[in-house]
């Protein structure tokens, strides 16, 4: 790939086809895909319900721009609003764009400029979302960041309690930090975040780019915590692989995003909306989400049963099918060996293996992945079992 900027450390395999949980590389090897395009292919690869919806739209209209009404936008927005108990949606193309929109809306609506985020957070790689991200490795080399972001320790209520200034436009938080290590927020911490927003007259922004659209067994992960966000952002799993992002907000925010205040040329185009609508109709079905919860509980319990005796495994954490296995050693060698053994996974930081299977994964596929995980970990030189 000599004509592509080397912004990724790409693996030495090329995936050329996939169906459901399985993918195949250019050499014909089959893998169980527990990356899912980084929590994107929530319905697995090439789901027929999405494929059919996009094919139907391909025969009609691809793009007209947001100068015209797009019925499928309203239909997809209605599904998101109903599932989130919010009111209005802005469609864009990615999680970073959704978070950019949230930052802009919060500042414009409140007339304030300061936004609080958390260490080890990840909100994107545009300049504003990079500035919102609480990781030095993301900031490095880009000079001064936007000055209106301040980072607080995650899961530490005491640090937030000391904030008294009224210049805070919003607090932006992931209820489960993804890139930062699959770190679930505690109930007391997240409720303190919400209470601090109300005290300061600030908006509560919840970044659900990775945790949303059924990934944790609920439409959105914040619903496990009984939170009441003002703004929720989503992307990744929203379009089953089509580039779709969304910012969802409360009714009182609508006047602050009037014509001309924000926009996106491709955001909400008919093809993306066809994919999003079909995806949401499938995932937001109550029986589908109940099955996700059941399978995830089974899998996490089996992971704990089989890996608890491994001295290098420190914790199995997460919710639903957003799972992290924390080791006391670096995990790249283990991830490479898992790949050679037919299981695709990714890290979340240096010491955590992140498991993000499709929500449609079968029990047989979970058992097969478990066998690969356990046998691979046992063979590692750094791993010892009691």
């Amino acid at each position: 790939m000599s004509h592509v900027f080397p912004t990724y450390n790409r693996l030495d395999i090329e995936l050329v086809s996939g169906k459901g949980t399985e993918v195949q590389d250019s050499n014909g090897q089959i893998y169980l895909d527990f990356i899912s395009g980084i929590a994107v292919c929530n319905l697995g690869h090439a789901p027929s319900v999405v494929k059919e919806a996009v094919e139907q739209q391909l025969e009609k209209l691809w793009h007209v721009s947001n100068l015209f009404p797009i019925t499928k936008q309203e239909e997809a927005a209605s599904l998101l609003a109903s599932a989130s108990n919010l009111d209005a949606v802005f469609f864009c193309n990615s999680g970073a764009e959704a978070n950019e929109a949230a930052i802009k809306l919060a500042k414009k609506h409140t007339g304030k400029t300061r936004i609080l985020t958390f260490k080890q957070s990840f909100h994107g790689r545009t300049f504003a979302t990079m500035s919102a991200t609480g990781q030095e490795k993301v900031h490095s080399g880009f000079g001064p960041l936007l000055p209106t972001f301040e980072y607080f320790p995650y899961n530490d209520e005491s640090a937030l309690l000391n904030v008294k200034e009224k210049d805070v436009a919003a607090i932006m938080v992931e209820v489960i930090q993804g890139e930062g290590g699959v770190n679930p927020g505690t109930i007391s911490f997240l409720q303190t975040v919400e209470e601090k927003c109300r005290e300061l007259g600030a908006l509560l922004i919840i970044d659900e780019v990775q945790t949303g659209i059924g990934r944790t067994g609920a439409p959105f992960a914040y619903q496990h915590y009984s939170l009441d966000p003002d703004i929720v952002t989503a992307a990744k799993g929203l379009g089953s692989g089509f580039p779709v992002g969304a910012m969802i907000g409360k009714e009182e925010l609508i006047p602050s995003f009037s014509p001309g205040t924000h926009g996106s040329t491709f955001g909400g185009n008919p093809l993306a909306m066809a994919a999003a609508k079909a995806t949401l109709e499938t995932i937001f079905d109550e029986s589908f989400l109940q099955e996700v919860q059941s399978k995830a509980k089974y899998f996490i319990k089996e992971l704990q049963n089989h890996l608890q005796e491994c001295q290098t495994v420190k914790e199995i954490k997460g919710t639903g099918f957003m799972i992290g296995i924390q080791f006391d050693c670096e995990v790249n060698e283990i991830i490479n060996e898992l790949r050679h053994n037919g299981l695709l996974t990714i890290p979340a930081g240096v010491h955590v293996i992140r498991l993000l299977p499709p929500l449609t994964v079968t029990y047989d596929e979970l058992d097969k992945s478990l066998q690969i995980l356990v046998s691979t970990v046992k063979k590692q030189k750094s791993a010892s079992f009691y």
Side-chain angles (χ1 to χ4, degrees):
M1 302 186 67
S2 59
H3 297 293
V4 177
F5 274 108
T7 53
Y8 293 89
N9 289 318
R10 298 179 189 268
L11 301 174
D12 58 358
I13 61 171
E14 181 180 6
L15 302 179
V16 295
S17 65
K19 186 66 178 176
T21 308
E22 290 190 339
V23 290
Q24 182 173 316
D25 70 16
S26 56
N27 294 317
Q29 183 170 347
I30 303 294
Y31 305 86
L32 287 174
D33 183 5
F34 275 42
I35 301 175
S36 300
I38 315 181
V40 166
C41 301
N42 286 6
L43 291 177
H45 291 276
S48 57
V49 64
V50 179
K51 179 175 179 285
E52 290 168 6
V54 172
E55 285 178 340
Q56 290 176 14
Q57 188 60 47
L58 278 168
E59 295 297 326
K60 298 177 181 178
L61 199 64
W62 294 14
H63 179 79
V64 294
S65 90
N66 286 295
L67 297 175
F68 299 90
I70 300 172
T71 298
K72 278 193 169 57
Q73 274 192 23
E74 179 60 26
E75 293 170 345
S78 178
L79 291 166
L80 285 169
S82 176
S84 64
N85 200 32
L86 296 171
D87 301 291
V89 180
F90 172 81
F91 285 111
C92 49
N93 309 284
S94 70
E97 287 183 43
N99 284 335
E100 283 272 350
I103 290 165
K104 286 181 67 173
L105 178 56
K107 290 189 174 188
K108 189 170 189 301
H109 183 77
T110 64
K112 305 174 184 179
T113 58
R114 189 173 164 215
I115 294 180
L116 311 185
T117 65
F118 297 92
K119 295 178 181 178
Q120 293 306 116
S121 62
F122 184 83
H123 298 294
R125 294 186 182 275
T126 63
F127 216 84
T129 57
M130 175 182 70
S131 298
T133 294
Q135 297 191 53
E136 176 59 34
K137 67 179 183 180
V138 176
H139 304 159
S140 180
F142 294 101
L145 303 175
L146 296 181
T148 54
F149 293 94
E150 186 174 352
Y151 318 114
F152 284 74
Y154 193 71
N155 273 339
D156 183 350
E157 297 102 292
S158 61
L160 273 179
L161 292 174
N162 293 324
V163 179
K164 304 297 182 184
E165 300 87 350
K166 298 292 187 178
D167 61 344
V168 177
I171 302 179
M172 190 174 194
V173 65
E174 300 159 276
V175 294
I176 305 172
Q177 290 185 329
E179 304 297 322
V182 192
N183 304 316
T186 65
I187 293 176
S188 60
F189 167 70
L190 292 168
Q191 289 179 346
T192 298
V193 170
E194 181 174 335
E195 290 165 4
K196 180 57 66 171
C197 285
R198 306 310 171 218
E199 175 191 328
L200 300 176
L203 301 183
L204 174 58
I205 302 173
I206 297 184
D207 179 343
E208 292 262 9
V209 169
Q210 190 164 151
T211 54
I213 320 301
R215 174 55 50 184
T216 66
F220 298 96
Y222 74 84
Q223 292 165 330
H224 296 293
Y225 299 86
S226 299
L227 300 174
D228 181 26
D230 299 290
I231 298 174
V232 173
T233 57
K236 289 190 181 295
L238 181 53
S240 293
F242 280 78
V244 190
M247 181 200 68
I248 318 162
K250 288 185 173 179
E251 184 176 11
E252 57 263 33
L253 304 178
I254 294 174
S256 296
F257 251 23
S258 56
T261 55
H262 198 52
S264 171
T265 296
F266 296 108
N269 77 70
L271 287 176
M273 291 298 94
K277 182 187 175 189
T279 300
L280 294 173
E281 287 176 337
T282 303
I283 292 177
F284 286 170
D285 179 81
E286 185 176 348
S287 62
F288 182 94
L289 291 171
Q290 287 176 346
E291 187 173 352
V292 171
Q293 293 175 26
S294 298
K295 289 186 293 188
K297 287 178 181 177
Y298 166 81
F299 187 51
I300 291 173
K301 183 178 180 180
E302 289 298 298
L303 286 171
Q304 292 169 338
N305 289 341
H306 286 84
L307 294 177
Q308 64 182 351
E309 294 182 352
C310 178
Q311 293 178 331
T312 58
V313 174
K314 295 305 174 187
E315 185 180 6
I316 296 170
K317 52 188 178 176
T319 303
F321 278 132
M322 187 171 179
I323 302 168
I325 306 175
Q326 176 129 19
F327 289 77
D328 67 358
C329 59
E330 295 189 5
V331 297
N332 276 342
E333 181 182 342
I334 303 173
I335 288 173
N336 289 337
E337 191 63 25
L338 288 171
R339 184 169 70 256
H340 292 315
N341 293 333
L343 179 64
L344 301 180
T345 63
I346 51 172
V350 177
H351 298 107
V352 176
I353 292 177
R354 191 172 9 162
L355 304 175
L356 302 166
L359 306 183
T360 53
V361 64
T362 67
Y363 282 100
D364 286 344
E365 289 167 338
L366 291 173
D367 289 341
K368 184 177 178 181
S369 72
L370 184 68
Q371 292 171 3
I372 296 172
L373 273 163
V374 173
S375 63
T376 301
V377 169
K378 283 184 175 181
K379 290 177 182 178
Q380 292 302 303
K381 294 179 181 178
S382 57
S384 60
F385 282 71
Y386 293 113

